[in-house]
Amino acid sequence: MTFRLVDAGWASEFESALGLDSSGLCVVCPFIKIGAVTRLLSSRPGSIRVITRFNLSDFAEGVSDLSALQRLHDVGAKIRGIRNLHAKLYLFGKSRAVVTSANLTEAGLGRNHEFGMITNDAAAIGVCQDYFDNLWWRAGTDLQPGRLSEWQDIITAYRAAGGRPNGPTGLADFGAEAGIGEPPRGQTSMTVTDAAQAFVKFLGNRRNRVPSTCPTIEELNRAGCHWALAYPKNKRPRSVENGAVMYIARLVEGRDIRVFGRGIGMEYISGRDDAAPADIERRSWKSTWPHYVRVHNTEFVAGTMQNGVSLNELMEALGPDSFVSTQRNAETGSGNTDPRRAYMRQAAVRLSAQGFAWLDERLEDAFRRYDKIPRAELDRLDWPDIPDIPDIPV
């Protein structure tokens, strides 16, 4: 092999390259996730140098993981940051170079349609190495471990305030300038495919269903679900972990439930995630529903509840495979396997892997068909105060 074009199987290509030469690994990649890093490190590469992005917005939106950078640092990798990085280059010792569209994420290595080339040509590898070394020099100094914990505190504060779409965020870009202008930042979808958990959180109950013609924005004003999902006094939401995808659903007339939005959840912390007097003054029902799963980077289907995804259709399509509990009971042959009974009198229900994939595909389709509520409109809703963010010099 001198030169080969590849459009699939990037995980096995990386594994093969590391098997051929694991003496050193050089990575240029804007987005890095913990699952892909764990996979890469299983081959125990020798020296590791990584050039990536240090834009805190990327980590806050879940397209990149601080935990991935921490894991790399723990094994001795040297990491530097470049602003507006888009290139993806992987060098395996002096034996192989990969130029690809794939980021170092599980989706990039295994699920997305990515295209690129692999070469073992010494001259081509030399050119790639020169590119890496030049970018490495321009990237400034190595990332220090204390900076990661500081960044995590900033991101946690930002997420706890709902990840306000257009408000002041304090999420700086700590990457080095490399002579590339800042591109315009558009409205992007959050990354959910690598999440370990997914839940449907129910709004309303069988006695106060809304018409399917109810405007989505009206429900956001009523429930405040653009930044917090409320749970009753006797139900602290301790099963939700950081990074869980929370699908937001409303009981509607006609005995259906419409999923009309989603956000990234945060684990419940007593005190921080309990309704304050000002919250109860604004929404009196929070006196009996005072506990929160805070959500950030929320996005909602524009229009009315009718434009959302029917949970009835999910249950009809998947049956016991809809939810974790019913799927487990079906596998063990014991307990309830009817998904319609599984969510009765529940504030939320955890989706199975199949339910997660089914629901997200159809919600994405709803976003394409009906669009999302614009960020400017979401910004006019009530948001919690953004906690003080430490002043960290760039």
Side-chain angles (χ1 to χ4, degrees):
M1 176 198 74
T2 298
F3 179 91
R4 181 160 52 90
L5 297 175
V6 177
D7 65 355
W10 288 104
S12 60
E13 293 289 354
F14 280 28
E15 182 179 351
S16 173
L18 284 167
L20 178 69
D21 188 345
S22 62
S23 62
L25 177 65
C26 294
V27 174
V28 179
C29 181
F31 305 135
I32 301 177
K33 302 281 284 182
I34 185 63
V37 164
T38 300
R39 180 195 294 271
L40 205 65
L41 294 180
S42 66
S43 298
R44 300 183 180 276
S47 63
I48 305 172
R49 289 191 293 165
V50 176
I51 301 172
T52 186
R53 289 165 50 128
F54 290 166
N55 189 334
L56 298 197
S57 292
D58 297 335
F59 301 108
E61 293 170 6
V63 294
S64 213
D65 291 340
L66 284 179
S67 58
L69 301 191
Q70 184 66 62
R71 180 78 178 92
L72 286 165
H73 190 276
D74 290 345
V75 300
K78 296 185 181 300
I79 308 167
R80 297 184 181 182
I82 289 284
R83 296 189 180 197
N84 309 319
L85 183 69
H86 188 68
K88 294 95 175 174
L89 168 67
Y90 304 87
L91 292 165
F92 301 88
K94 297 182 182 299
S95 302
R96 190 162 293 184
V98 175
V99 179
T100 174
S101 62
N103 281 293
L104 192 53
T105 68
E106 290 289 84
L109 297 184
R111 294 192 296 274
N112 295 346
H113 187 83
E114 311 285 0
F115 187 71
M117 74 89 184
I118 299 173
T119 183
N120 61 1
D121 179 79
I125 293 172
V127 172
C128 290
Q129 188 68 61
D130 288 345
Y131 172 82
F132 179 90
D133 291 340
N134 180 266
L135 203 59
W136 182 259
W137 176 78
R138 286 190 283 163
T141 59
D142 297 343
L143 176 66
Q144 299 302 307
R147 185 53 69 90
L148 288 171
S149 61
E150 293 171 347
W151 290 351
Q152 185 62 67
D153 290 344
I154 293 171
I155 290 167
T156 298
Y158 168 76
R159 287 173 169 175
R164 186 174 177 178
N166 290 327
T169 67
L171 297 181
D173 189 336
F174 292 90
E177 292 284 1
I180 303 171
E182 178 73 25
R185 189 173 181 85
Q187 182 168 353
T188 58
S189 290
M190 61 184 179
T191 298
V192 302
T193 54
D194 290 331
Q197 292 182 315
F199 295 82
V200 175
K201 174 65 177 72
F202 304 111
L203 307 182
N205 58 50
R206 60 187 178 86
R207 290 185 296 274
N208 73 340
R209 295 174 180 267
V210 298
S212 60
T213 54
C214 172
T216 304
I217 195 69
E218 182 177 307
E219 184 63 18
L220 268 60
N221 273 306
R222 184 201 69 83
C225 56
H226 51 290
W227 68 271
L229 304 177
Y231 287 69
K233 276 186 175 181
N234 62 348
K235 185 67 175 178
R236 286 180 169 84
R238 300 192 187 279
S239 61
V240 176
E241 300 173 358
N242 282 326
V245 182
M246 305 298 295
Y247 292 97
I248 303 167
R250 186 61 165 91
L251 275 71
V252 299
E253 294 174 355
R255 301 181 64 83
D256 199 0
I257 301 169
R258 288 280 168 171
V259 177
F260 64 98
R262 67 184 177 190
I264 302 297
M266 302 180 71
E267 67 175 339
Y268 168 81
I269 296 178
S270 181
R272 183 194 73 179
D273 299 330
D274 297 315
D279 298 335
I280 296 172
E281 183 178 355
R282 183 177 183 88
R283 296 181 175 91
S284 60
W285 52 266
K286 285 191 175 182
S287 62
T288 55
W289 287 72
H291 307 304
Y292 297 156
V293 166
R294 291 179 184 262
V295 285
H296 58 88
N297 296 95
T298 47
E299 44 195 8
F300 299 92
V301 177
T304 67
M305 290 294 157
Q306 184 63 39
N307 295 344
V309 180
S310 168
L311 200 68
N312 282 350
E313 292 181 8
L314 181 152
M315 295 184 291
E316 289 168 4
L318 300 182
D321 285 329
S322 301
F323 307 132
V324 166
S325 60
T326 50
Q327 187 176 64
R328 180 179 60 244
N329 291 342
E331 290 171 351
T332 61
S334 175
N336 172 58
T337 60
D338 182 354
R340 288 171 179 78
R341 290 177 55 198
Y343 70 81
M344 292 178 63
R345 294 184 294 276
Q346 299 294 319
V349 62
R350 184 174 174 184
L351 290 160
S352 67
Q354 294 93 324
F356 182 9
W358 190 99
L359 181 54
D360 204 68
E361 179 182 347
R362 282 152 183 80
L363 186 60
E364 286 287 352
D365 182 62
F367 287 149
R368 286 189 292 269
R369 293 177 63 189
Y370 305 111
D371 212 346
K372 300 174 186 177
I373 294 180
R375 287 190 171 189
E377 191 169 351
L378 290 179
D379 198 47
R380 290 194 290 269
L381 299 171
D382 64 295
W383 293 86
D385 291 336
I386 296 178
D388 290 336
I389 296 174
D391 184 16
I392 301 175
V394 178

